[in-house]
Amino acid sequence: MSVKVLGVIPARYGSSRLPGKPLKDICGKPMIQHVYENASKSKVLDRVVVATDDQRVYDAVIAFGGEAVMTSVNHPTGSDRVAEAANAYDCDYVINIQGDEPLVPPQIIDDIGTALINSPDCVMATGSVPIDGEDYINNNCVVKVVTDVNGNAIYFSRSPIPYPRHAEHAKYFEHVGIYAYTHEFLNKYTKLAPTPLSEAESLEQLKVLEHGYKIKIVPAPAQYEAVSVDTEEDLQEVIRIYKERNGIE
């Protein structure tokens, strides 16, 4: 199956903090359907597929008219799952869209995909969004990123970067976890050896930089609000935002 840009949504059923996460109901639709429908509005994607290891998720996607593929239950990361799914297609680029961000705006998918296509010196692209507030900046669950003057990643960290020695120059950006890869590099990426910084920070994308590759960082659209659902509290926040956006009581 030949496509230029393939969108893959990895969706694992067995979340430790929120079991059955892809099928959690959000105003009458399972979460994975919201992700799929938003991704399908992207102009850069030629095809969208859900990559899962669970028959229940597969059946739910087929039931709402989506496309899904079954993948191994043994993948250590979502990237490995995405790579297995992508290898069933003849595609030039692959975009990994997080299966637990039901509010993901199609525009950020377009922007990240387009940036990679237009950056022949990079093998990968991802996003960022400005953040402020000391509690948020110091939260080690919030991954920060800094870039060079050309918009390529210098470093990702759970710590606040840069250090505010001169606070007026310190601007902070959160990493937005949508990844675009050349298909060729995606297959290399899953085979790259772990690296000291990636293991120290527990951030898989750092091994790309440590192995000498470039990652383009793309600013998210204004008012970016795509909550990652990891807990029941996150789910309720997404439901609140969705109702507010759509005028639902």
Side-chain angles (χ1 to χ4, degrees):
M1 291 174 278
S2 181
V3 292
K4 183 174 184 180
V5 185
L6 177 70
V8 182
I9 305 168
R12 195 171 62 88
Y13 188 88
S15 168
S16 58
R17 286 187 287 178
L18 194 62
K21 182 164 64 170
L23 302 185
K24 293 295 183 183
D25 183 82
I26 299 174
C27 300
K29 295 178 183 178
M31 179 162 64
I32 192 63
Q33 184 172 354
H34 287 275
V35 180
Y36 190 95
E37 290 177 350
N38 280 333
S40 296
K41 294 173 185 174
S42 163
K43 296 181 177 65
V44 78
L45 296 178
D46 298 303
R47 195 164 191 157
V48 179
V49 62
V50 173
T52 187
D53 61 354
D54 191 277
Q55 191 66 43
R56 290 163 289 188
V57 177
Y58 179 93
D59 291 345
V61 174
I62 299 303
F64 68 69
E67 183 174 352
V69 294
M70 291 293 293
T71 57
S72 170
V73 298
N74 298 317
H75 288 310
T77 70
S79 304
D80 294 284
R81 192 173 311 285
V82 168
E84 182 191 343
N87 285 335
Y89 299 82
D90 177 17
C91 54
D92 298 320
Y93 301 93
V94 182
I95 302 183
N96 177 350
I97 301 147
Q98 301 302 319
D100 58 5
E101 293 193 3
L103 303 176
V104 60
Q107 186 65 51
I108 187 64
I109 300 171
D110 288 340
D111 292 348
I112 290 172
T114 300
L116 179 60
I117 292 168
N118 292 334
S119 303
D121 61 330
C122 294
V123 293
M124 185 172 164
T126 187
S128 71
V129 62
I131 55 172
D132 56 26
E134 191 171 328
D135 289 346
Y136 202 65
I137 291 167
N138 288 306
N139 185 339
N140 64 17
C141 293
V142 177
V143 177
K144 276 70 69 174
V145 60
V146 289
T147 64
D148 63 20
V149 293
N150 297 311
N152 298 322
I154 296 173
Y155 193 61
F156 298 85
S157 183
R158 297 182 183 279
S159 296
I161 50 174
Y163 177 79
R165 183 77 170 88
H166 297 283
E168 67 274 18
H169 297 297
K171 293 181 172 59
Y172 296 92
F173 295 87
E174 180 181 2
H175 173 224
V176 173
I178 297 169
Y179 299 95
Y181 318 82
T182 66
H183 193 179
E184 179 184 14
F185 178 70
L186 175 58
N187 285 318
K188 289 181 182 177
Y189 175 56
T190 58
K191 296 177 179 66
L192 289 177
T195 49
L197 296 174
S198 68
E199 298 222 307
E201 295 257 16
S202 190
L203 294 175
E204 189 186 5
Q205 65 271 32
L206 280 173
K207 70 180 182 179
V208 178
L209 302 181
E210 289 181 87
H211 280 283
Y213 296 99
K214 288 185 178 180
I215 303 176
K216 180 66 70 177
I217 302 297
V218 181
Q223 298 180 322
Y224 181 82
E225 192 176 31
V227 178
S228 178
V229 177
D230 295 311
T231 64
E232 182 64 32
E233 291 73 21
D234 295 334
L235 180 63
Q236 294 308 314
E237 175 65 5
V238 164
I239 291 171
R240 183 194 67 77
I241 294 169
Y242 184 85
K243 286 182 174 180
E244 185 178 274
R245 287 182 182 179
N246 292 277
I248 300 171
E249 294 296 331

